[in-house]
Amino acid sequence: MEKRDLSIMVVEDNEGDFVILKDHLFEIFPKASVDRKISLLQAKQSFIEETYDIVLLDLTLPDSVGVNSITELLKVAPTVPIIVFTGYEDKELAVNSLKLGVQDYLVKDEVIPAILLKSISYAIERKIILNQVKSAKENYKSLFDKNPIPLFLYDPVTLQILVVNQACTELYLYSADQLLQMTVEDLMTSGEKSRISTIRDAITVSKSGSVPLGEWRQFKSDGTEIEVDITTHDFMLGLRTCRLAVLKNVTEINTARLNLQRSEKRFRSLVQSGADLIGILDKDGNYLYKSPTITTVLGYTTEFLIGRNTFDLIHEEEIAQVLADFDKLKTQSQVSFKPFRVLDSWGNWRWIESIVTNLLDEPSVMGIVTNSRDLTEKKKQEDEKTLLIKELTQNNTDLKQFSFITSHNLRAPITNLLSILELFSYAGIKEEKAQFFFDMFKKSTLQLDETINDLVKILVIKSNANIGLEEISLTSIFSKITGMLSAMISDVKAEINVDFNEAPQLVSNATYLESIFMNLLTNAIKYRDTERELVINTYTQKGDGCTMLYFQDNGLGIDLVRNKDKIFGLHQRFHEVGEGNGIGLYLIQSQIKALNGTISVDSKVGSGTTFIITFNN
Amino acid sequence: MLNKVLCVDDDPVTLMICDIMLEKANFCQRVEQAAGGTSALKYLKNQIEQTDGQLPDAILLDINMPVMNGWEFLEEYVEKYQAHMPDCKIIILTSSVNPEDKELAEKHPDVTDFMPKPITLDGLEALKTIPALRKYFARYIA
């Protein structure tokens, strides 16, 4: 200590006292520098530029008396050790001084070099330690305050919050002042209140001194709920026993974990209870995993299948194709395999369709995922369907052929009859009765011819998918038909009103349209009401993407209540009068269908019938 | 009018009617009958081989016939006999309602015309006016 060049400040206004003190100081610290200040102001100002190892302070100064000098001086030099000098023995003042932070006090008259040396040495050492303690304290405080982990201290009995750090205020969104007004219980949701006693009961049992309290649901100041994991530690706040709570917000972790659990559960239920067969293979096609559905469908147990090569179970006729598809997985992440047969545990071949995904590089899978479906039933049904269609197509072709031959064989003799009738009329019939029979015979032959012709027309429509379409003028077609039927029309004095102005043209088939008009007109004439003159109105209307053709008469009408479903049926007749063969409306409907149109009817017995034909454009 | 017409049909009634109708219409001098494709070919062969054989100016041909139908007859006719009788007209006369038959007939290079049955006097009159036959009927020459 003697060797050091101590820098000593002496604050003493009394010249005599200073000289004595200075002599003592040089005696014990010959190399020391002693700087005298005669007022508190002088002393305080010196600290602006200088540093001192110790201050010897007289408490009776011209500008300050008593402990005030100590406080004032510590304000500017908190770390410097101070020894107080008093002129008298004032115990109370001495104790107060020590409380304020001076290191020692000496009574002037009692000062001798030995005491001074001891006091100064102790004071300097003590201050150093105090400063270290203070700095450590501050470090700890800063460690607490600036810690990113939310921390608070609380009273173990009342659970009152005593100290909080910054992170804690950020967690709860309360200010520090607000939190210091609260207890731990105030932060809890109502559901947690019942087990709050576990926090009170927490006592240190573990060696580390920490007690995990588990996860708690708590409220933030904005009312949102959070889950906080709390660990408490014994803690001394000065002399006070309290507990430190270390907090961890696990809300997001828990939510993420929950979502993960749900997602995994969902995935499992999808894989295990779905209808699809899910397997995971290694790069060579050996089973790493199989879903329970594989056991259900193919009968193989997990023990049998795991490690087994999938290609061993595939039918030899498809194995090359399956291997080729499998090979594609080297360049494609997903491949739809063409259907192949797999041997089941009962020895049957089952048709399987697979979508295979290469997830070898996916760390959570590290395999080739096969998603397969049992097609056996479907395939069987399809095969049956194909066979049925083939049979039906053959039957249909046969029937068509049969119909053509039949109609030809029927037509051949009829054409002969027609020719003979012609020859007969040239030959001339002398006898009246023979003429009568001849007329009847001719009428029946013509009727037979008409029926056969209509049937043949239907056959032609049904067998001919492609019909020629052209732009057709409705007026010209209609005139052609009225021309052909002019005798009939004038016979019954029919009034025919035609207005095709709204849609004069139609892309259609002329032969079909002629047949349609022919049938509608002859029907209207055949089934006219003889009580009144026949009036026929026909007109067109443009619809949305279609053209409507109306054909209206004031004839006998059809009882739609009784006949609605069969009106366009084959061999249906609705009147006792007339000589219909029951084919006309069926023929019209077939022709309209072939022209991509529809026909509907509105009729009332006694007032007439309206046919509405809709041609889609 | 034409000199000779060969009618080929498996139905004897039709052959008879044809005979009468052709005569009544003053269509030709003579009518020969064949009951099918093979008979018709045989008849043609005979006529060619005979020194005084006379080949027909026209053949009225039915389509639907047993053993050899009209198309099959036509195939062999074109191959073997047409060269001997290049001016002979082939007229399909059929009650067939198969639209394919009519289509085939219209497209066939060796078919002169297609006549649906029944054969009528009006039909024959119309036939006389087609360009290929017009020259045989004096009143159309002018």
Side-chain angles (χ1 to χ4, degrees):
Chain A
M1 181 67 72
E2 287 82 5
K3 285 171 187 161
R4 282 186 51 192
D5 299 337
L6 274 183
S7 152
I8 303 167
M9 174 191 273
V10 178
V11 189
E12 178 60 84
D13 61 327
N14 187 303
E15 184 70 32
D17 287 349
F18 171 69
V19 170
I20 294 166
L21 190 56
K22 199 173 89 176
D23 285 347
H24 288 327
L25 287 171
F26 282 128
E27 194 181 327
I28 46 179
F29 304 116
K31 289 181 181 170
S33 71
V34 176
D35 191 4
R36 183 191 173 197
K37 305 292 168 193
I38 54 163
S39 69
L40 180 65
L41 184 66
Q42 235 182 40
K44 280 167 76 177
Q45 279 171 346
S46 302
F47 273 105
I48 296 168
E49 289 173 357
E50 300 287 329
T51 55
Y52 300 92
D53 293 313
I54 188 150
V55 176
L56 306 179
L57 176 64
D58 177 27
L59 284 184
T60 42
L61 293 170
D63 54 349
S64 172
V65 177
V67 292
N68 177 56
S69 306
I70 301 167
T71 356
E72 287 298 310
L73 206 57
L74 280 174
K75 274 185 195 166
V76 292
T79 57
V80 74
I82 299 173
I83 297 171
V84 169
F85 287 85
T86 55
Y88 42 86
E89 202 169 342
D90 183 344
K91 287 278 178 196
E92 202 184 334
L93 179 70
V95 171
N96 280 343
S97 308
L98 289 175
K99 273 187 186 166
L100 285 171
V102 304
Q103 269 60 51
D104 204 357
Y105 74 94
L106 296 170
V107 178
K108 280 182 185 171
D109 298 339
E110 292 170 1
V111 171
I112 55 165
I115 290 174
L116 197 59
L117 172 65
K118 203 169 141 188
S119 178
I120 287 174
S121 304
Y122 284 180
I124 290 172
E125 289 306 316
R126 203 182 295 136
K127 189 66 186 184
I128 287 169
I129 288 164
L130 273 177
N131 282 342
Q132 281 172 350
V133 169
K134 200 179 165 199
S135 136
K137 233 178 174 176
E138 275 165 3
N139 283 343
Y140 273 111
K141 178 108 174 73
S142 154
L143 211 60
F144 179 86
D145 283 341
K146 303 282 187 289
N147 201 310
I149 297 170
L151 304 165
F152 65 79
L153 294 174
Y154 64 97
D155 184 285
V157 181
T158 63
L159 302 185
Q160 179 68 44
I161 295 171
L162 303 171
V163 183
V164 297
N165 73 350
Q166 175 83 19
C168 185
T169 63
E170 283 162 7
L171 172 64
Y172 293 115
L173 300 177
Y174 282 112
S175 70
D177 288 342
Q178 284 173 319
L179 284 170
L180 295 181
Q181 304 290 317
M182 299 168 80
T183 65
V184 178
E185 196 173 348
D186 293 337
L187 291 168
M188 297 295 179
T189 61
S190 54
E192 301 288 31
K193 308 257 170 170
S194 59
R195 59 176 185 128
I196 206 88
S197 58
T198 58
I199 299 181
R200 276 198 194 91
D201 297 344
I203 44 160
T204 309
V205 282
S206 69
K207 258 190 178 164
S208 65
S210 65
V211 182
L213 292 176
E215 291 174 7
W216 298 78
R217 299 197 70 81
Q218 300 191 309
F219 280 129
K220 298 208 279 193
S221 75
D222 62 3
T224 50
E225 243 181 77
I226 49 171
E227 282 169 70
V228 180
D229 179 89
I230 305 176
T231 308
T232 75
H233 301 259
D234 274 337
F235 199 86
M236 293 297 288
L237 186 62
L239 293 172
R240 186 176 184 179
T241 303
C242 61
R243 296 192 73 84
L244 168 70
V246 179
L247 312 174
K248 190 173 164 191
N249 185 355
V250 292
T251 319
E252 277 176 30
I253 297 172
N254 283 354
T255 312
R257 193 166 49 209
L258 200 70
N259 284 343
L260 195 69
Q261 279 170 356
R262 278 191 194 139
S263 150
E264 202 195 326
K265 206 173 162 186
R266 249 198 317 266
F267 179 70
R268 278 206 172 273
S269 66
L270 217 63
V271 168
Q272 300 193 332
S273 42
D276 287 1
L277 315 176
I278 315 271
I280 300 179
L281 309 173
D282 67 11
K283 64 174 174 44
D284 301 318
N286 298 311
Y287 274 98
L288 300 172
Y289 167 86
K290 61 158 266 298
S291 65
T293 41
I294 290 187
T295 308
T296 319
V297 175
L298 298 177
Y300 294 123
T301 59
T302 307
E303 296 73 49
F304 176 84
L305 220 51
I306 298 302
R308 193 166 290 264
N309 195 287
T310 189
F311 301 122
D312 294 345
L313 301 170
I314 290 170
H315 197 283
E316 58 177 12
E317 278 178 32
E318 283 96 38
I319 188 71
Q321 149 212 325
V322 169
L323 285 170
D325 280 339
F326 196 78
D327 205 48
K328 286 184 197 159
L329 287 165
K330 286 177 186 161
T331 50
Q332 283 168 249
S333 62
Q334 192 169 68
V335 176
S336 279
F337 278 45
K338 285 189 265 317
F340 53 87
R341 275 167 292 176
V342 166
L343 188 67
D344 69 17
S345 69
W346 303 284
N348 304 315
W349 291 104
R350 303 201 72 84
W351 280 99
I352 298 287
E353 178 185 62
S354 269
I355 293 175
V356 183
T357 313
N358 183 348
L359 293 176
L360 282 167
D361 295 333
E362 169 65 45
S364 58
V365 183
M366 291 201 293
I368 292 166
V369 178
T370 65
N371 192 326
S372 313
R373 201 171 297 173
D374 183 9
L375 289 180
T376 315
E377 278 309 305
K378 201 176 146 198
K379 184 109 180 153
K380 206 171 131 194
Q381 281 171 6
E382 257 169 30
D383 286 351
E384 280 169 9
K385 208 162 97 185
T386 313
L387 197 71
L388 194 68
I389 290 172
K390 206 175 150 189
E391 277 174 14
L392 281 176
T393 312
Q394 186 57 47
N395 281 353
N396 201 25
T397 315
D398 289 353
L399 268 177
K400 249 183 225 165
Q401 202 57 35
F402 179 77
S403 310
F404 272 122
I405 292 167
T406 311
S407 54
H408 171 261
N409 290 353
L410 283 174
R411 259 189 69 78
I414 289 171
T415 55
N416 283 344
L417 286 176
L418 290 169
S419 299
I420 292 166
L421 281 171
E422 194 181 353
L423 292 172
F424 233 120
S425 55
Y426 276 104
I429 299 162
K430 310 278 177 314
E431 215 179 316
E432 199 178 316
K433 207 153 196 184
Q435 182 66 44
F436 175 73
F437 288 130
F438 173 77
D439 287 344
M440 281 206 298
F441 176 69
K442 188 176 179 181
K443 195 173 170 185
S444 297
T445 309
L446 289 172
Q447 221 172 316
L448 189 58
D449 182 50
E450 193 189 322
T451 304
I452 297 283
N453 281 344
D454 279 353
L455 283 172
V456 165
K457 278 182 196 161
I458 290 165
L459 280 175
V460 171
I461 293 165
K462 298 283 174 194
S463 63
N464 197 358
N466 300 317
I467 49 165
L469 295 177
E470 56 187 322
E471 182 99 13
I472 287 164
S473 154
L474 284 172
T475 311
S476 69
I477 293 267
F478 194 73
S479 318
K480 186 176 170 188
I481 300 302
T482 48
M484 285 164 78
L485 297 175
S486 59
M488 262 175 112
I489 293 166
S490 59
D491 251 13
V492 301
K493 298 189 180 76
E495 175 191 334
I496 301 176
N497 305 307
V498 186
D499 182 5
F500 294 143
N501 287 329
E502 192 166 331
Q505 303 281 93
L506 209 58
V507 175
S508 191
N509 179 285
T511 316
Y512 285 5
L513 272 185
E514 281 170 17
S515 163
I516 291 164
F517 276 132
M518 176 73 94
N519 269 287
L520 289 173
L521 258 175
T522 49
N523 274 352
I525 293 167
K526 270 187 210 163
Y527 307 115
R528 70 187 183 280
D529 191 337
T530 45
E531 299 294 306
R532 54 177 176 257
E533 273 195 3
L534 174 62
V535 179
I536 293 168
N537 296 309
T538 181
Y539 53 96
T540 50
Q541 260 183 15
K542 268 200 184 303
D544 188 16
C546 61
T547 302
M548 269 115 49
L549 172 68
Y550 289 80
F551 193 94
Q552 202 174 49
D553 69 43
N554 61 344
L556 294 169
I558 305 165
D559 184 352
L560 285 181
V561 180
R562 287 179 61 178
N563 300 309
K564 189 154 183 64
D565 295 334
K566 38 187 185 177
I567 193 149
F568 296 107
L570 190 56
H571 208 75
Q572 299 294 335
R573 295 202 53 205
F574 311 103
H575 300 98
E576 286 170 356
V577 300
E579 293 161 341
N581 53 25
I583 298 174
L585 287 179
Y586 179 78
L587 174 64
I588 293 184
Q589 197 199 29
S590 303
Q591 288 166 327
I592 290 167
K593 264 190 196 166
L595 292 169
N596 191 23
T598 55
I599 180 166
S600 62
V601 65
D602 189 20
S603 187
K604 208 172 165 188
V605 174
S607 52
T609 306
T610 306
F611 288 97
I612 304 149
I613 303 168
T614 309
F615 294 106
N616 294 311
N617 295 345
Chain B
M1 78 173 77
L2 278 76
N3 185 25
K4 192 198 263 186
V5 170
L6 172 65
C7 289
V8 188
D9 203 306
D10 60 309
D11 180 18
V13 180
T14 307
L15 286 176
M16 224 169 67
I17 291 170
C18 280
D19 202 302
I20 301 168
M21 284 287 182
L22 290 170
E23 190 206 319
K24 260 208 150 25
N26 289 318
F27 196 83
C28 56
Q29 308 268 9
R30 282 178 62 194
V31 179
E32 294 292 340
Q33 298 182 348
T38 42
S39 312
L41 289 172
K42 207 166 156 190
Y43 172 80
L44 294 177
K45 193 170 177 242
N46 274 338
Q47 293 302 307
I48 290 166
E49 282 167 2
Q50 279 171 28
T51 41
D52 58 343
Q54 200 183 24
L55 287 161
D57 305 310
I59 301 173
L60 290 191
L61 180 66
D62 186 27
I63 297 295
N64 292 292
M65 292 180 292
V67 189
M68 178 184 270
N69 71 24
W71 301 123
E72 290 162 341
F73 163 81
L74 208 53
E75 208 172 302
E76 205 167 327
Y77 160 79
V78 170
E79 191 189 325
K80 292 181 182 167
Y81 304 103
Q82 202 178 36
H84 299 278
M85 40 199 295
D87 208 29
C88 180
K89 313 290 181 295
I90 305 290
I91 292 144
I92 304 287
L93 177 69
T94 181
S95 59
S96 168
V97 285
N98 192 339
E100 280 173 25
D101 282 341
K102 195 181 176 193
E103 223 171 283
L104 265 170
E106 278 167 355
K107 278 184 195 158
H108 202 293
D110 304 301
V111 170
T112 310
D113 205 4
F114 180 92
M115 250 178 102
K117 284 183 189 172
I119 183 167
T120 59
L121 291 177
D122 286 350
L124 288 175
E125 286 306 317
L127 192 60
K128 288 178 185 173
T129 66
I130 68 164
L133 294 177
R134 210 176 279 173
K135 61 179 175 183
Y136 295 98
F137 302 97
R139 55 182 165 137
Y140 294 108
I141 289 171

